[in-house]
Amino acid sequence: MSRLSDAFARARAERRAALVTFVTGGDPSPAATAAILDALVAGGADVIELGLPFTDPMADGPAIQRANLRALDAGTRTADILAAARAFRERHPRVPLVLMGYANPMLRRGAEWFAEACADNGVDGVICVDVPAEQDASLGPALRAKGIDPIRLATPTTDAARLPAVLDGASGFLYYVSVAGITGMQQAATASIADAVDRLKAATELPVAVGFGVRTPDQARAIGAVADGVVVGSAIIDVIESAAKEGRDPAPGVEALVSSLARALADGERVSA
């Protein structure tokens, strides 16, 4: 069993949704990333997504766009993110770590190089936002050859005709983007999310995690009642941004927010298997 499948199975056994958290690597500086990742774990995150900073994060809203710019302005390189992943794996051998980002940093030196770097540094999965399932050959085979899960995105516009292509070759979990828009902004109605999760789970045995627009414990609890996982990113980025502006250590605030989200999921009532 992989670290990702183990994390979702453990959450399911505890009758709760898994908490999936996102932060941008190198935000506000490469040196701060380790403590922020540790704070996510201390707060109760089941899965951690670590963003590769990129100049044109087209799927991300203003908060994560600013996080990307802070990280890049601080001199963050892909090598820094991989080093952070390796150090994280040494400190937290059980917690799954997923790299999330865009094709340019992943493919610039070749898919085989990137997949090997992921494997060598303890990365469990990769979400590449701008490589569609139909272009799997550009990255998917290299990842699978190294035992890295290629995690796919489904959206409200992923219809029954395209869904099989999205699921073909996917592993780890299926990330349901609950709104047809950018991260951190509006949130879809819980009823429509429940309908979408039911439709996706009828087509795959992969866990379905829901993200984009989840900011509060109450929102996490509501979505956790119907999904296998809840993804929170922009709200955590906001905490980091506020601390950076005030010259404070962001880690305590990150841990406090993640703890509140984890408690909400633990206290929530699951209505799906």
Side-chain angles (χ1 to χ4, degrees):
M1 184 175 284
S2 71
R3 275 187 286 262
L4 276 168
S5 58
D6 181 60
F8 280 97
R10 188 166 57 251
R12 191 179 308 114
E14 296 172 0
R15 297 189 60 76
R16 62 175 177 84
L19 177 58
V20 183
T21 58
F22 171 90
V23 293
T24 299
D27 174 35
S29 69
T33 296
I36 291 171
L37 294 178
D38 290 349
L40 297 175
V41 175
D46 296 290
V47 178
I48 292 175
E49 294 177 359
L50 182 60
L52 283 163
F54 186 55
T55 50
D56 301 290
M58 63 183 182
D60 294 306
I64 297 179
Q65 290 185 24
R66 290 194 297 272
N68 277 274
L69 293 178
R70 284 193 298 272
L72 293 170
D73 287 345
T76 306
R77 304 165 301 156
T78 299
D80 296 314
I81 305 302
L82 294 171
R86 176 185 286 273
F88 175 86
R89 180 56 60 229
E90 292 172 353
R91 297 193 305 277
H92 305 287
R94 194 180 184 191
V95 181
L97 184 69
V98 173
L99 294 188
M100 182 171 185
Y102 296 83
N104 191 306
M106 297 182 185
L107 298 178
R108 179 170 171 269
R109 280 167 279 194
E112 287 73 20
W113 175 88
F114 181 69
E116 186 166 352
C118 287
D120 289 346
N121 290 285
V123 173
D124 299 286
V126 168
I127 302 171
C128 186
V129 177
D130 53 348
V131 170
E134 291 81 355
Q135 300 297 319
D136 178 76
S138 64
L139 182 59
L143 293 176
R144 286 188 286 274
K146 292 295 182 180
I148 309 297
D149 289 317
I151 296 163
R152 295 272 175 71
L153 302 167
T155 74
T157 60
T158 304
D159 59 20
R162 182 166 184 265
L163 184 56
V166 171
L167 296 173
D168 184 24
S171 60
F173 63 92
L174 183 64
Y175 188 146
Y176 178 62
V177 176
S178 60
V179 295
I182 55 177
T183 60
M185 305 302 282
Q186 74 277 18
Q187 187 198 354
T190 303
S192 70
I193 292 173
D195 289 344
V197 171
D198 285 346
R199 178 171 62 85
L200 295 171
K201 290 181 73 67
T204 181
E205 294 183 353
L206 289 174
V208 177
V210 176
F212 279 45
V214 186
R215 302 187 61 85
T216 69
D218 285 344
Q219 290 173 327
R221 183 185 295 111
I223 293 175
V226 300
D228 299 308
V230 179
V231 187
V232 181
S234 294
I236 300 172
I237 297 290
D238 286 346
V239 171
I240 295 171
E241 181 174 53
S242 294
K245 284 180 177 177
E246 297 169 6
R248 292 184 286 107
D249 177 4
V254 167
E255 182 176 341
L257 173 59
V258 173
S259 295
S260 70
L261 295 164
R263 284 195 300 273
L265 293 179
D267 294 341
E269 182 177 351
R270 296 271 287 159
V271 298
S272 61

